Amino acid sequence: MGVVVLAVGVGLVWITVLRLLNGSWPTFLGAFHAWVAPLTWGAAMAITISLAAVVVGLILLICAWKPGQPNSAVLQADRSGASAGSTDFVMTRRSVARLATSYADQVDGVDSVSARVTARRVALTVTSPSEQRSQLAATVTGRVREALQRVGLQPMPKVTTIVHTRQL
């Protein structure tokens, strides 16, 4: 939806620049003007165009007011030295994923790791040559959970680890 609005905005700016440079509207707008000029406000076509514009405007307003899915998680700050103002610290989902992968990658036996983060879950996929998958999964999950608790991530997401064994 944002791309459409951007394209319409660029088109309107382009039309305006053409008007300023040439002193007249572009020819494709002339045809539209000739089609709309004989219409009165009470004409059925004018009412239809007006209603369509109102519907599009309402849809755009609803899209602007409706909040999107949150893309960050709140960190609990130490309130002992809090000042009079209120400050929130947040981490984006991408930074939570990077933190999780960096701590998971430090575990012995992990060759590669990737993470998917949602609002309530961190899912890690680990590749390892080790056959001890359950032990490695528990170690990686514990290490990542400790890291997320240390930074004060609230609410604490559920950490799950899937280990794939790669043959040497």
CSV table of all heavy atoms in Angstrom, one decimal, residues 19-81:
chain,number,residue,atom,x,y,z
A,19,ARG,N,4.0,21.2,-15.5
A,19,ARG,CA,3.2,22.4,-15.5
A,19,ARG,C,4.0,23.6,-15.3
A,19,ARG,O,3.9,24.6,-16.0
A,19,ARG,CB,2.1,22.3,-14.5
A,19,ARG,CG,1.3,23.6,-14.2
A,19,ARG,CD,0.4,23.9,-15.3
A,19,ARG,NE,-0.4,25.0,-14.9
A,19,ARG,CZ,-0.9,25.9,-15.7
A,19,ARG,NH1,-0.7,25.8,-16.9
A,19,ARG,NH2,-1.6,26.9,-15.2
A,20,LEU,N,5.0,23.6,-14.4
A,20,LEU,CA,5.8,24.7,-14.1
A,20,LEU,C,6.8,25.0,-15.2
A,20,LEU,O,7.0,26.2,-15.5
A,20,LEU,CB,6.5,24.6,-12.8
A,20,LEU,CG,5.6,24.6,-11.5
A,20,LEU,CD1,6.5,24.2,-10.3
A,20,LEU,CD2,5.0,25.9,-11.3
A,21,LEU,N,7.3,24.0,-15.8
A,21,LEU,CA,8.3,24.1,-16.9
A,21,LEU,C,7.7,24.6,-18.2
A,21,LEU,O,8.2,25.4,-18.9
A,21,LEU,CB,9.1,22.8,-17.1
A,21,LEU,CG,10.1,22.5,-16.0
A,21,LEU,CD1,10.7,21.1,-16.3
A,21,LEU,CD2,11.1,23.5,-15.8
A,22,ASN,N,6.6,24.0,-18.6
A,22,ASN,CA,5.9,24.2,-19.9
A,22,ASN,C,4.9,25.3,-19.9
A,22,ASN,O,4.5,25.8,-20.9
A,22,ASN,CB,5.3,22.9,-20.4
A,22,ASN,CG,6.4,21.8,-20.6
A,22,ASN,OD1,7.6,22.1,-20.8
A,22,ASN,ND2,6.0,20.6,-20.6
A,23,GLY,N,4.3,25.6,-18.7
A,23,GLY,CA,3.2,26.5,-18.6
A,23,GLY,C,1.9,26.0,-18.9
A,23,GLY,O,0.9,26.7,-18.9
A,24,SER,N,1.8,24.7,-19.2
A,24,SER,CA,0.5,24.0,-19.5
A,24,SER,C,0.6,22.6,-18.9
A,24,SER,O,1.6,22.0,-18.7
A,24,SER,CB,0.2,24.0,-21.0
A,24,SER,OG,1.2,23.2,-21.6
A,25,TRP,N,-0.6,22.1,-18.7
A,25,TRP,CA,-0.7,20.7,-18.2
A,25,TRP,C,-0.3,19.7,-19.2
A,25,TRP,O,-0.5,20.0,-20.4
A,25,TRP,CB,-2.2,20.4,-17.7
A,25,TRP,CG,-2.6,21.3,-16.5
A,25,TRP,CD1,-3.4,22.4,-16.5
A,25,TRP,CD2,-2.1,21.1,-15.2
A,25,TRP,NE1,-3.5,22.9,-15.3
A,25,TRP,CE2,-2.7,22.1,-14.4
A,25,TRP,CE3,-1.3,20.3,-14.5
A,25,TRP,CZ2,-2.5,22.3,-13.1
A,25,TRP,CZ3,-1.1,20.4,-13.2
A,25,TRP,CH2,-1.7,21.4,-12.5
A,26,PRO,N,0.1,18.5,-18.8
A,26,PRO,CA,0.5,17.5,-19.8
A,26,PRO,C,-0.7,17.1,-20.7
A,26,PRO,O,-1.9,17.2,-20.2
A,26,PRO,CB,1.0,16.3,-19.0
A,26,PRO,CG,1.3,16.9,-17.6
A,26,PRO,CD,0.5,18.1,-17.5
A,27,THR,N,-0.5,16.6,-21.9
A,27,THR,CA,-1.6,16.3,-22.8
A,27,THR,C,-2.5,15.2,-22.3
A,27,THR,O,-3.7,15.3,-22.5
A,27,THR,CB,-1.0,15.9,-24.2
A,27,THR,OG1,-0.1,14.8,-24.0
A,27,THR,CG2,-0.2,17.0,-24.8
A,28,PHE,N,-2.0,14.2,-21.6
A,28,PHE,CA,-2.9,13.2,-21.1
A,28,PHE,C,-3.9,13.7,-20.0
A,28,PHE,O,-5.0,13.2,-19.9
A,28,PHE,CB,-2.1,12.0,-20.5
A,28,PHE,CG,-1.2,12.3,-19.3
A,28,PHE,CD1,-1.7,12.2,-18.1
A,28,PHE,CD2,0.1,12.6,-19.5
A,28,PHE,CE1,-0.9,12.5,-17.0
A,28,PHE,CE2,0.9,12.8,-18.5
A,28,PHE,CZ,0.4,12.8,-17.2
A,29,LEU,N,-3.5,14.8,-19.3
A,29,LEU,CA,-4.5,15.4,-18.4
A,29,LEU,C,-5.5,16.3,-19.2
A,29,LEU,O,-6.6,16.5,-18.7
A,29,LEU,CB,-3.7,16.3,-17.4
A,29,LEU,CG,-3.0,15.6,-16.3
A,29,LEU,CD1,-2.3,16.6,-15.3
A,29,LEU,CD2,-3.9,14.7,-15.5
A,30,GLY,N,-5.1,16.8,-20.4
A,30,GLY,CA,-6.0,17.6,-21.2
A,30,GLY,C,-7.2,16.7,-21.6
A,30,GLY,O,-8.4,17.2,-21.6
A,31,ALA,N,-7.0,15.4,-21.9
A,31,ALA,CA,-8.1,14.6,-22.3
A,31,ALA,C,-9.0,14.3,-21.1
A,31,ALA,O,-10.2,14.3,-21.3
A,31,ALA,CB,-7.5,13.2,-22.9
A,32,PHE,N,-8.4,14.1,-20.0
A,32,PHE,CA,-9.2,13.9,-18.8
A,32,PHE,C,-10.0,15.2,-18.5
A,32,PHE,O,-11.2,15.1,-18.1
A,32,PHE,CB,-8.3,13.6,-17.6
A,32,PHE,CG,-9.1,13.4,-16.3
A,32,PHE,CD1,-9.9,12.3,-16.1
A,32,PHE,CD2,-9.0,14.4,-15.3
A,32,PHE,CE1,-10.6,12.1,-14.9
A,32,PHE,CE2,-9.7,14.2,-14.1
A,32,PHE,CZ,-10.5,13.1,-13.9
A,33,HIS,N,-9.4,16.4,-18.6
A,33,HIS,CA,-10.1,17.6,-18.4
A,33,HIS,C,-11.3,17.8,-19.4
A,33,HIS,O,-12.3,18.3,-19.0
A,33,HIS,CB,-9.1,18.8,-18.5
A,33,HIS,CG,-9.7,20.1,-18.2
A,33,HIS,ND1,-10.2,20.9,-19.2
A,33,HIS,CD2,-10.0,20.8,-17.1
A,33,HIS,CE1,-10.7,22.0,-18.7
A,33,HIS,NE2,-10.6,21.9,-17.4
A,34,ALA,N,-11.0,17.5,-20.6
A,34,ALA,CA,-12.1,17.6,-21.6
A,34,ALA,C,-13.3,16.6,-21.3
A,34,ALA,O,-14.4,17.0,-21.6
A,34,ALA,CB,-11.5,17.3,-23.0
A,35,TRP,N,-13.0,15.5,-20.7
A,35,TRP,CA,-14.0,14.5,-20.4
A,35,TRP,C,-14.8,15.0,-19.2
A,35,TRP,O,-16.0,14.8,-19.1
A,35,TRP,CB,-13.4,13.2,-20.1
A,35,TRP,CG,-14.3,12.1,-19.7
A,35,TRP,CD1,-15.3,11.6,-20.4
A,35,TRP,CD2,-14.3,11.5,-18.4
A,35,TRP,NE1,-16.0,10.6,-19.6
A,35,TRP,CE2,-15.4,10.5,-18.4
A,35,TRP,CE3,-13.6,11.6,-17.2
A,35,TRP,CZ2,-15.7,9.8,-17.3
A,35,TRP,CZ3,-13.9,10.8,-16.2
A,35,TRP,CH2,-14.9,9.9,-16.2
A,36,VAL,N,-14.1,15.6,-18.2
A,36,VAL,CA,-14.8,16.0,-16.9
A,36,VAL,C,-15.4,17.4,-17.0
A,36,VAL,O,-16.4,17.7,-16.3
A,36,VAL,CB,-13.7,16.0,-15.8
A,36,VAL,CG1,-14.3,16.5,-14.5
A,36,VAL,CG2,-13.2,14.6,-15.6
A,37,ALA,N,-14.9,18.3,-17.9
A,37,ALA,CA,-15.4,19.7,-18.0
A,37,ALA,C,-16.9,19.8,-18.1
A,37,ALA,O,-17.5,20.7,-17.4
A,37,ALA,CB,-14.7,20.4,-19.1
A,38,PRO,N,-17.6,19.1,-19.0
A,38,PRO,CA,-19.0,19.3,-19.1
A,38,PRO,C,-19.9,18.8,-17.9
A,38,PRO,O,-21.0,19.1,-17.9
A,38,PRO,CB,-19.4,18.6,-20.4
A,38,PRO,CG,-18.3,17.6,-20.6
A,38,PRO,CD,-17.1,18.1,-19.9
A,39,LEU,N,-19.3,18.0,-17.0
A,39,LEU,CA,-20.0,17.5,-15.9
A,39,LEU,C,-20.4,18.6,-14.9
A,39,LEU,O,-19.6,19.4,-14.6
A,39,LEU,CB,-19.2,16.4,-15.2
A,39,LEU,CG,-18.9,15.1,-16.0
A,39,LEU,CD1,-18.1,14.2,-15.2
A,39,LEU,CD2,-20.2,14.4,-16.5
A,40,THR,N,-21.5,18.5,-14.3
A,40,THR,CA,-21.9,19.4,-13.2
A,40,THR,C,-21.8,18.5,-11.9
A,40,THR,O,-21.7,17.3,-12.0
A,40,THR,CB,-23.4,19.9,-13.4
A,40,THR,OG1,-24.2,18.7,-13.4
A,40,THR,CG2,-23.5,20.6,-14.7
A,41,TRP,N,-21.9,19.2,-10.8
A,41,TRP,CA,-21.7,18.5,-9.5
A,41,TRP,C,-22.9,17.5,-9.3
A,41,TRP,O,-22.7,16.6,-8.6
A,41,TRP,CB,-21.7,19.5,-8.4
A,41,TRP,CG,-20.3,20.1,-8.2
A,41,TRP,CD1,-19.9,21.4,-8.5
A,41,TRP,CD2,-19.1,19.4,-7.8
A,41,TRP,NE1,-18.6,21.5,-8.3
A,41,TRP,CE2,-18.1,20.4,-7.8
A,41,TRP,CE3,-18.9,18.2,-7.4
A,41,TRP,CZ2,-16.8,20.0,-7.5
A,41,TRP,CZ3,-17.6,17.8,-7.0
A,41,TRP,CH2,-16.6,18.8,-7.1
A,42,GLY,N,-24.0,17.8,-9.9
A,42,GLY,CA,-25.1,16.9,-9.7
A,42,GLY,C,-25.1,15.7,-10.7
A,42,GLY,O,-26.0,14.8,-10.6
A,43,ALA,N,-24.2,15.7,-11.7
A,43,ALA,CA,-24.2,14.6,-12.6
A,43,ALA,C,-23.8,13.3,-12.0
A,43,ALA,O,-23.1,13.2,-11.0
A,43,ALA,CB,-23.2,14.9,-13.7
A,44,ALA,N,-24.3,12.2,-12.5
A,44,ALA,CA,-24.1,10.9,-11.9
A,44,ALA,C,-22.6,10.5,-11.9
A,44,ALA,O,-22.1,9.9,-10.9
A,44,ALA,CB,-24.9,9.8,-12.7
A,45,MET,N,-21.9,10.8,-13.0
A,45,MET,CA,-20.5,10.5,-13.1
A,45,MET,C,-19.7,11.3,-12.0
A,45,MET,O,-18.8,10.8,-11.4
A,45,MET,CB,-19.9,10.8,-14.5
A,45,MET,CG,-18.5,10.4,-14.7
A,45,MET,SD,-18.2,8.6,-14.4
A,45,MET,CE,-19.0,7.9,-15.8
A,46,ALA,N,-20.0,12.6,-11.8
A,46,ALA,CA,-19.3,13.4,-10.8
A,46,ALA,C,-19.6,12.9,-9.4
A,46,ALA,O,-18.7,12.8,-8.6
A,46,ALA,CB,-19.8,14.9,-10.9
A,47,ILE,N,-20.8,12.4,-9.1
A,47,ILE,CA,-21.1,11.8,-7.8
A,47,ILE,C,-20.3,10.5,-7.6
A,47,ILE,O,-19.8,10.3,-6.6
A,47,ILE,CB,-22.6,11.7,-7.7
A,47,ILE,CG1,-23.3,13.0,-7.6
A,47,ILE,CG2,-22.9,10.8,-6.4
A,47,ILE,CD1,-24.8,12.9,-7.6
A,48,THR,N,-20.3,9.7,-8.7
A,48,THR,CA,-19.5,8.5,-8.6
A,48,THR,C,-18.1,8.7,-8.3
A,48,THR,O,-17.5,8.0,-7.5
A,48,THR,CB,-19.7,7.7,-9.9
A,48,THR,OG1,-21.1,7.5,-10.1
A,48,THR,CG2,-19.0,6.3,-9.8
A,49,ILE,N,-17.5,9.6,-9.0
A,49,ILE,CA,-16.0,10.0,-8.8
A,49,ILE,C,-15.8,10.5,-7.4
A,49,ILE,O,-14.8,10.1,-6.8
A,49,ILE,CB,-15.5,11.0,-9.9
A,49,ILE,CG1,-15.5,10.3,-11.3
A,49,ILE,CG2,-14.2,11.5,-9.6
A,49,ILE,CD1,-15.3,11.2,-12.4
A,50,SER,N,-16.7,11.3,-7.0
A,50,SER,CA,-16.6,11.9,-5.6
A,50,SER,C,-16.7,10.8,-4.6
A,50,SER,O,-15.9,10.8,-3.6
A,50,SER,CB,-17.7,12.9,-5.4
A,50,SER,OG,-17.5,14.0,-6.3
A,51,LEU,N,-17.6,9.9,-4.7
A,51,LEU,CA,-17.8,8.8,-3.7
A,51,LEU,C,-16.6,7.9,-3.8
A,51,LEU,O,-16.1,7.4,-2.7
A,51,LEU,CB,-19.1,8.0,-4.0
A,51,LEU,CG,-20.4,8.7,-3.7
A,51,LEU,CD1,-21.6,7.8,-4.1
A,51,LEU,CD2,-20.4,9.0,-2.2
A,52,ALA,N,-16.0,7.6,-4.9
A,52,ALA,CA,-14.8,6.8,-5.0
A,52,ALA,C,-13.6,7.5,-4.3
A,52,ALA,O,-12.9,6.8,-3.6
A,52,ALA,CB,-14.5,6.5,-6.5
A,53,ALA,N,-13.5,8.8,-4.5
A,53,ALA,CA,-12.5,9.5,-3.8
A,53,ALA,C,-12.6,9.5,-2.3
A,53,ALA,O,-11.7,9.3,-1.6
A,53,ALA,CB,-12.4,11.0,-4.3
A,54,VAL,N,-13.9,9.6,-1.8
A,54,VAL,CA,-14.1,9.5,-0.4
A,54,VAL,C,-13.8,8.1,0.1
A,54,VAL,O,-13.2,8.0,1.2
A,54,VAL,CB,-15.6,9.9,-0.1
A,54,VAL,CG1,-16.0,9.5,1.3
A,54,VAL,CG2,-15.8,11.3,-0.3
A,55,VAL,N,-14.2,7.1,-0.6
A,55,VAL,CA,-13.9,5.7,-0.1
A,55,VAL,C,-12.3,5.5,-0.1
A,55,VAL,O,-11.8,4.9,0.9
A,55,VAL,CB,-14.5,4.7,-1.1
A,55,VAL,CG1,-14.0,3.3,-0.8
A,55,VAL,CG2,-16.0,4.7,-0.9
A,56,VAL,N,-11.6,5.9,-1.1
A,56,VAL,CA,-10.2,5.8,-1.1
A,56,VAL,C,-9.6,6.6,0.1
A,56,VAL,O,-8.7,6.1,0.8
A,56,VAL,CB,-9.6,6.2,-2.4
A,56,VAL,CG1,-8.1,6.4,-2.4
A,56,VAL,CG2,-10.0,5.3,-3.5
A,57,GLY,N,-10.1,7.8,0.3
A,57,GLY,CA,-9.6,8.5,1.5
A,57,GLY,C,-9.8,7.9,2.8
A,57,GLY,O,-9.0,7.9,3.7
A,58,LEU,N,-11.0,7.3,3.0
A,58,LEU,CA,-11.3,6.6,4.2
A,58,LEU,C,-10.4,5.4,4.4
A,58,LEU,O,-10.0,5.1,5.5
A,58,LEU,CB,-12.8,6.2,4.3
A,58,LEU,CG,-13.8,7.3,4.5
A,58,LEU,CD1,-15.2,6.8,4.4
A,58,LEU,CD2,-13.6,7.9,5.8
A,59,ILE,N,-10.2,4.6,3.3
A,59,ILE,CA,-9.3,3.5,3.4
A,59,ILE,C,-7.9,3.9,3.8
A,59,ILE,O,-7.3,3.3,4.7
A,59,ILE,CB,-9.3,2.7,2.0
A,59,ILE,CG1,-10.6,2.0,1.8
A,59,ILE,CG2,-8.1,1.7,2.0
A,59,ILE,CD1,-10.8,1.4,0.5
A,60,LEU,N,-7.4,5.0,3.2
A,60,LEU,CA,-6.1,5.5,3.6
A,60,LEU,C,-6.1,6.0,5.1
A,60,LEU,O,-5.1,5.7,5.7
A,60,LEU,CB,-5.7,6.6,2.7
A,60,LEU,CG,-5.4,6.2,1.2
A,60,LEU,CD1,-5.1,7.4,0.4
A,60,LEU,CD2,-4.2,5.3,1.2
A,61,LEU,N,-7.1,6.6,5.5
A,61,LEU,CA,-7.2,7.0,6.9
A,61,LEU,C,-7.2,5.8,7.9
A,61,LEU,O,-6.5,5.8,8.9
A,61,LEU,CB,-8.4,7.8,7.2
A,61,LEU,CG,-8.3,9.3,6.9
A,61,LEU,CD1,-9.7,10.0,7.1
A,61,LEU,CD2,-7.3,10.0,7.7
A,62,ILE,N,-7.9,4.8,7.5
A,62,ILE,CA,-8.0,3.6,8.4
A,62,ILE,C,-6.6,2.9,8.4
A,62,ILE,O,-6.1,2.5,9.5
A,62,ILE,CB,-9.1,2.6,7.9
A,62,ILE,CG1,-10.4,3.2,8.2
A,62,ILE,CG2,-8.9,1.2,8.5
A,62,ILE,CD1,-11.6,2.5,7.5
A,63,CYS,N,-6.0,2.8,7.2
A,63,CYS,CA,-4.6,2.3,7.2
A,63,CYS,C,-3.6,3.1,8.0
A,63,CYS,O,-2.7,2.5,8.6
A,63,CYS,CB,-4.1,2.2,5.8
A,63,CYS,SG,-5.0,0.9,4.8
A,64,ALA,N,-3.8,4.4,8.1
A,64,ALA,CA,-2.9,5.2,8.8
A,64,ALA,C,-3.1,5.1,10.3
A,64,ALA,O,-2.2,5.1,11.1
A,64,ALA,CB,-3.0,6.7,8.4
A,65,TRP,N,-4.4,4.9,10.7
A,65,TRP,CA,-4.7,4.8,12.1
A,65,TRP,C,-4.4,3.4,12.7
A,65,TRP,O,-4.1,3.3,13.9
A,65,TRP,CB,-6.1,5.2,12.4
A,65,TRP,CG,-6.4,6.7,12.3
A,65,TRP,CD1,-5.5,7.7,12.5
A,65,TRP,CD2,-7.7,7.3,11.9
A,65,TRP,NE1,-6.1,8.9,12.3
A,65,TRP,CE2,-7.5,8.7,11.9
A,65,TRP,CE3,-8.9,6.8,11.6
A,65,TRP,CZ2,-8.5,9.5,11.6
A,65,TRP,CZ3,-9.9,7.7,11.3
A,65,TRP,CH2,-9.7,9.0,11.3
A,66,LYS,N,-4.6,2.4,11.9
A,66,LYS,CA,-4.4,1.0,12.4
A,66,LYS,C,-3.0,0.8,12.6
A,66,LYS,O,-2.2,0.8,11.7
A,66,LYS,CB,-5.0,0.1,11.4
A,66,LYS,CG,-5.0,-1.4,11.9
A,66,LYS,CD,-5.5,-2.3,10.8
A,66,LYS,CE,-5.5,-3.7,11.2
A,66,LYS,NZ,-4.2,-4.3,11.0
A,67,PRO,N,-2.6,0.4,13.9
A,67,PRO,CA,-1.2,0.2,14.1
A,67,PRO,C,-0.7,-1.1,13.5
A,67,PRO,O,-1.5,-2.1,13.4
A,67,PRO,CB,-1.1,0.2,15.6
A,67,PRO,CG,-2.4,-0.2,16.1
A,67,PRO,CD,-3.4,0.3,15.1
A,68,GLY,N,0.5,-1.1,13.0
A,68,GLY,CA,1.1,-2.4,12.5
A,68,GLY,C,1.6,-3.3,13.6
A,68,GLY,O,1.5,-2.9,14.8
A,69,GLN,N,2.1,-4.4,13.2
A,69,GLN,CA,2.6,-5.3,14.2
A,69,GLN,C,3.9,-4.7,14.8
A,69,GLN,O,4.7,-4.2,14.0
A,69,GLN,CB,3.0,-6.6,13.4
A,69,GLN,CG,3.3,-7.7,14.4
A,69,GLN,CD,3.5,-9.1,13.6
A,69,GLN,OE1,3.7,-9.0,12.4
A,69,GLN,NE2,3.5,-10.1,14.3
A,70,PRO,N,4.0,-4.8,16.1
A,70,PRO,CA,5.2,-4.2,16.7
A,70,PRO,C,6.5,-4.9,16.2
A,70,PRO,O,6.5,-6.1,16.1
A,70,PRO,CB,5.0,-4.4,18.2
A,70,PRO,CG,4.0,-5.4,18.3
A,70,PRO,CD,3.2,-5.4,17.1
A,71,ASN,N,7.5,-4.1,16.0
A,71,ASN,CA,8.7,-4.6,15.4
A,71,ASN,C,9.9,-4.5,16.5
A,71,ASN,O,11.0,-4.6,16.1
A,71,ASN,CB,9.1,-3.8,14.2
A,71,ASN,CG,10.2,-4.5,13.4
A,71,ASN,OD1,10.3,-5.8,13.5
A,71,ASN,ND2,10.9,-3.8,12.6
A,72,SER,N,9.5,-4.2,17.7
A,72,SER,CA,10.6,-4.1,18.7
A,72,SER,C,10.1,-4.7,20.1
A,72,SER,O,8.9,-4.8,20.3
A,72,SER,CB,10.9,-2.6,18.9
A,72,SER,OG,9.8,-1.9,19.3
A,73,ALA,N,11.0,-5.0,20.9
A,73,ALA,CA,10.7,-5.5,22.2
A,73,ALA,C,11.3,-4.5,23.3
A,73,ALA,O,12.4,-4.0,23.1
A,73,ALA,CB,11.3,-6.9,22.4
A,74,VAL,N,10.6,-4.3,24.4
A,74,VAL,CA,11.0,-3.4,25.4
A,74,VAL,C,12.0,-4.0,26.3
A,74,VAL,O,11.9,-5.2,26.7
A,74,VAL,CB,9.7,-2.9,26.2
A,74,VAL,CG1,10.2,-2.0,27.3
A,74,VAL,CG2,8.7,-2.3,25.3
A,75,LEU,N,13.0,-3.3,26.7
A,75,LEU,CA,14.0,-3.7,27.6
A,75,LEU,C,13.7,-3.1,29.0
A,75,LEU,O,13.4,-1.9,29.1
A,75,LEU,CB,15.4,-3.3,27.2
A,75,LEU,CG,15.9,-3.8,25.8
A,75,LEU,CD1,17.3,-3.2,25.5
A,75,LEU,CD2,15.9,-5.3,25.8
A,76,GLN,N,13.8,-3.9,30.0
A,76,GLN,CA,13.6,-3.3,31.4
A,76,GLN,C,14.9,-2.6,31.8
A,76,GLN,O,15.9,-3.3,31.9
A,76,GLN,CB,13.3,-4.5,32.4
A,76,GLN,CG,11.9,-5.1,32.2
A,76,GLN,CD,10.9,-4.0,32.5
A,76,GLN,OE1,10.2,-3.6,31.5
A,76,GLN,NE2,10.6,-3.6,33.7
A,77,ALA,N,14.8,-1.3,32.0
A,77,ALA,CA,16.0,-0.6,32.4
A,77,ALA,C,16.0,-0.6,34.0
A,77,ALA,O,15.0,-0.7,34.6
A,77,ALA,CB,15.8,0.9,31.9
A,78,ASP,N,17.2,-0.4,34.5
A,78,ASP,CA,17.4,-0.3,35.9
A,78,ASP,C,16.8,1.0,36.4
A,78,ASP,O,17.3,2.1,36.0
A,78,ASP,CB,18.9,-0.4,36.2
A,78,ASP,CG,19.2,-0.4,37.7
A,78,ASP,OD1,18.2,-0.7,38.5
A,78,ASP,OD2,20.3,-0.1,38.1
A,79,ARG,N,15.8,1.0,37.3
A,79,ARG,CA,15.1,2.2,37.7
A,79,ARG,C,15.8,2.8,38.9
A,79,ARG,O,15.2,3.8,39.5
A,79,ARG,CB,13.7,1.8,38.0
A,79,ARG,CG,12.9,1.3,36.9
A,79,ARG,CD,12.6,2.4,35.9
A,79,ARG,NE,11.8,1.9,34.8
A,79,ARG,CZ,11.6,2.5,33.7
A,79,ARG,NH1,12.1,3.7,33.5
A,79,ARG,NH2,10.9,2.0,32.7
A,80,SER,N,16.9,2.3,39.4
A,80,SER,CA,17.5,2.8,40.6
A,80,SER,C,18.0,4.3,40.4
A,80,SER,O,17.9,5.1,41.3
A,80,SER,CB,18.7,2.0,41.1
A,80,SER,OG,19.6,1.9,40.1
A,81,GLY,N,18.5,4.6,39.3
A,81,GLY,CA,19.0,6.0,39.0
A,81,GLY,C,18.1,6.7,38.1
A,81,GLY,O,18.5,7.5,37.3
